Amino acid sequence: SRQDFIRNFSIIAHIDHGKSTLADRMIEMTGMLTQREMQSQVLDSMELEKERGITIKLKAVRLIYKAEDGNEYTFNLIDTPGHVDFNYEVSRSLAACEGAIVVVDASQGVEAQTLANVYLALDQDLELLPVLNKIDLPSARVDEVKQEIEDIIGLDTEGAPLISAKKGIGIDAVFEKIVEVIPPPRGDESKPLKALIFDSYYDAYKGVICYVRIEDGQVKPGDEIHMVNTQKTFEVVEVGVVTSAHMPLDKLRAGDVGYITASIKNVRDATVGDTITGAKIRTESPFAGYKKAMPMVYCGIYPGEGEEYTEVRDALEKLQVNDAALDFEAETSVALGFGFRCGFLGLLHMEIIQERLEREFDLNIVTTSPSVIYRVTTNAGQVLEIQNPSNLPNPSEIAKIEEPIVRAEIMTPTDYVGAIMDLCQNRRGTFIDMTYLEETRALIKYDLPLNEVIYDFFDALKSKTRGYASYDYELIGYRESDLVKLDILINSNVVDAFSIIVHESTAYAKGRRICEKLTDVIPRHQFAVPIQAAVAGKIIARETIRALRKDVLSKCYGGDITRKRKLLEKQKEGKKRMRMVGEVEVPQEAFLAVLKYD
Ligand code: GTP
């Protein structure tokens, strides 16, 4: 049948093992795009994404491959994001496939994300095709890494393609293996429409573009479609596939991967994981596993000096049209005035949004330190979800506080096991177990409070292991903990935007460190500025920023006007990313310094 000549697959890999390079090479070798076109398009189309060198939004491309058996095959290559913040999207894109290529760097071997992604693929019952990449490197250890793949992942590596994605070596073998190993789709065209949305984004001209895998049935322009989970109904405007651009077709059928547009105004109405079916004749078995995007990390976003609240709101609204995971609501801070509490999938997502606000919308914003969601049970038995530390009830009203816990899996050369255990122990981790994958490599499992890993755990891990360890984590639940609110006072006033929730045992050390750090980043003033840390109203640490010795302008009285103006301008520039908090100028970096360990 028609579907015998379709292959739907993803490429999964640990970061930097060559996923994007292989995808580009496959696109190029099937003649879909010229190299120059490729540079500006396709799998890494967002500018930010390119600069960060990671793939944050997944997409699909259709390739036509003429196989050695003489048949022409349609390959739908579905790209997956490469970061744990976007794991849900990874799982949905895998759900749209029958198989996945597992790319392993032949010099690095199997890493934590290789394994995490393999688990996600196995959850979807995908056929896995191991590929060893970077065989051109002198440090490639093909036989050892093959053995690792067999031992750790349990995949047969006999006949696994040995390739260099960069140099274009062995790519044909990958194509042939896809035909041979990955099963074709087996949908039923005569059944009611059942399509999985594995990605969606907002386009200014066409409205939301839904990337879909058609499981059963068919869909064409003019059809009425229904979103099973969001319960919205739309009329299809266009369907098609992505080759070098969007290519409209007259219909999409069972087994196909392509896109649907239907004048949808907001990605919230066509969210990743939802099932599209017919408005009149509905599927009886929508896709399982739909999850609403749930923010895990919150921070305050406030207009910076000279910036308008309404401008920030308009920008956030625009971003939200294209980002179903971005959550925000108005909040007020005593220190910072009117602003927003924003929810993100994780720290990377948060940084991306901050950068887009600054770059695309040219806004000067102040962000407060990120916080996870705490679950507070009051003495009255009420359960509150606290996203903003300054909203924590009085200690006397709290029966218990619970915090989110993640299970982290860390892969490391055995030399660093001690250092990693120290690190996890310092971050209030609970050891779960350790297994030796090989003589020289171990897999360590720890349960850690999310609030101890979100900020800089990854950096700390990398620096303690000289870059050799890799890790991945998933949320496993909530756990009761002795947590307190640490307040920071500047010039004797509590600055609510600085409040954080910390473990009781670390409050003193953290309070002291924050005071020291703030002394470094807050500039001197005409007067001495006391910086204090307090828990439940009790001061536990104190530093003082000494007063400026001389007014910067006092040098130039006597009237050198140009010099005076230059100095003023210089001061203004330095102020750009400052906020006045009471009488004190506080630079943006101070708000983030709060969570940094050293
Ligand atoms: P993310 O998109 O960040 O997840 O990474 P990725 O897995 O897509 O890796 P990417 O394709 O960006 O490659 C990472 C680095 O490895 C780049 O500098 C590539 O040029 C390089 N690279 C990829 N394939 C090969 C190869 O076959 N040989 C060599 N020597 N380098 C390669």
Side-chain angles (χ1 to χ4, degrees), residues 13-22 44 52-55 82 133-137 163-167:
H14 187 75
I15 209 150
D16 277 348
H17 281 200
K19 188 184 73 185
S20 306
T21 310
L22 175 59
D44 270 309
R52 288 165 174 271
I54 47 161
T55 317
N133 188 32
K134 307 200 189 181
I135 54 154
D136 59 296
L137 291 178
I163 70 165
S164 167
K166 193 172 172 181
K167 302 229 155 112

Side-chain angles (χ1 to χ4, degrees), residues 143-161:
D143 292 333
E144 276 170 63
V145 171
K146 270 187 167 179
Q147 197 58 47
E148 269 180 44
I149 296 173
E150 304 224 339
D151 295 347
I152 302 171
I153 313 184
L155 290 177
D156 183 5
T157 54
E158 210 192 309

Side-chain angles (χ1 to χ4, degrees), residues 322-338:
N322 201 7
D323 186 342
L326 171 65
D327 200 27
F328 73 91
E329 60 181 48
E331 78 168 3
T332 20
S333 152
V334 178
L336 300 176
F338 292 102

